[in-house]
Amino acid sequence: MPSTGPRTLHLNAFLLNAGHHDAAWRHPRTQPEKITDLRYFQQLARTAERGRLDSVFLADGLALWGNARYNALGGFEPLTLLSALAAVTEHVGLIATVSTTFNEPFHTARKFASLDHISGGRAGWNIVTSGTVNEARNFGQDEHLEHRLRYERAREFLEVATKLWDSWEDDAVLLDRERGVYADTDKVREIGHRGEYFGVHGPLNVPRSPQGYPLLVQAGSSEDGKEFAAQYAEAVFTAQQTLADAQAFYKDLKSRLTQHGRTEEQLLVLPGIAPVIGSTEAEARALEQELTDLQVPEYGLAQLSGMLGTDLTGLPLDGPLPDLPEERDINGNKSRFTLVAQLARRDGLTLRELIARLGAGRGHHVFAGTPEQVADHLEEWFTQGAADGFNIMPPHLPGGLEDFVDHVVPLLQQRGLFRTEYTGRTLRDHYGLTRPANRLATAASAAGWPA
């Protein structure tokens, strides 16, 4: 049930192979040889649970991101991995990224309902529309679907998925051995969906899961993305570089909720932050510099080219950004394009400096300091209208997550800003969100159908 106590932080651990810094795999504190070792991720999930974090999150793409010559790329499919992590954890939420552009609603609804049952109600879905032409080319398409159309498809995709999760009422399974009746088939309904993108008969072949729906997460910050989030999302993973930018985003997104009949408490804003932690500020700065010194410029330049939709190959690293296309002409991740372009222009960065600034967070906020300084920083954003919590992106793993859990979390707990124990069982409990009503059952009751 939603919390009625004082407002407290929500913390998600974003797990990414050897860590979020693009040179993390070269640092002696990391274990890149283990990125396809289940035990490594089990250790990370247990660390997050030891810190009483709300959830762990796995990003995903449907193509190989970046050049594997220079980074520890590739790895597990998220839902497969999270199902295995569910078996060795009891409380921490499990959020997987799944694209609405290159999947089908029935498959996706079935997999998330399964994960929710397997985990006892801890599943979350990070809804993405995919952003690269390489992903399109892995599905028989030469070009990526236009940005606006991807969001139109995503809306209908989610509409179908929620209908499928509602196709079984909570009490449909009777288990009446004496009468030989397993389920009340008046409470298992076809959905009969026929739309522009999908035709789905239903019902789902998985009974309604503990949470009803997985927690619905969204990560885009474009205009289309913000409108989608305001209508559907329950948590948003976002990227802002400054307190002022984060406050503006927070206010904008929350202000859009009333037109969809929603309250501010029904959507949590969780900016990404990559904390570089040291026992002293000098130690944290030294670690940050160590990681920067390990960067491969060719890799960073290629990543930057992708973010900006501009081929930067061969340009002098100590020169400025060239002229860039207009945001309206970008068909990939519009919000990240805008963030990176504004960062470079605002601070007058050369290509080399921009690659260094993006190394740990790819546009997310990076903060180096002591545990006390990190805790102060999180508290400031939380209390000054910039965040409901944070998507923690350890620059190196496993140590970066351990440093956060062992040294920052206790400070937040001492300040009354974060839980000391889990008080619920489901991911919705952790985030203080209600279990959604079964809309098909409500409609059936209103229409006088059998129930």
Side-chain angles (χ1 to χ4, degrees), residues 87 253 268 270 329 386:
L253 191 55
L268 303 172
L270 309 177
D329 297 323

Side-chain angles (χ1 to χ4, degrees), residues 44 71 77 92 125 137 141 165 221 344 354 427-428 439:
L44 295 174
N71 201 353
E77 186 280 318
V92 72
W125 174 17
R137 290 170 180 168
Q141 300 177 27
W165 290 320
S221 300
L354 186 55
L427 179 53
R428 289 180 172 279
R439 291 181 295 177

Side-chain angles (χ1 to χ4, degrees), residues 20-57:
H20 282 270
H21 199 285
D22 60 32
W25 71 277
R26 301 183 67 193
H27 197 277
R29 289 188 67 182
T30 64
Q31 302 168 343
E33 70 279 6
K34 294 186 176 182
I35 67 171
T36 52
D37 185 337
L38 174 60
R39 292 167 296 182
Y40 171 71
F41 283 96
Q42 288 174 333
Q43 174 193 354
L44 295 174
R46 290 191 186 109
T47 299
E49 186 160 271
R50 176 163 57 81
R52 307 300 189 261
L53 270 59
D54 296 69
S55 47
V56 297
F57 159 59

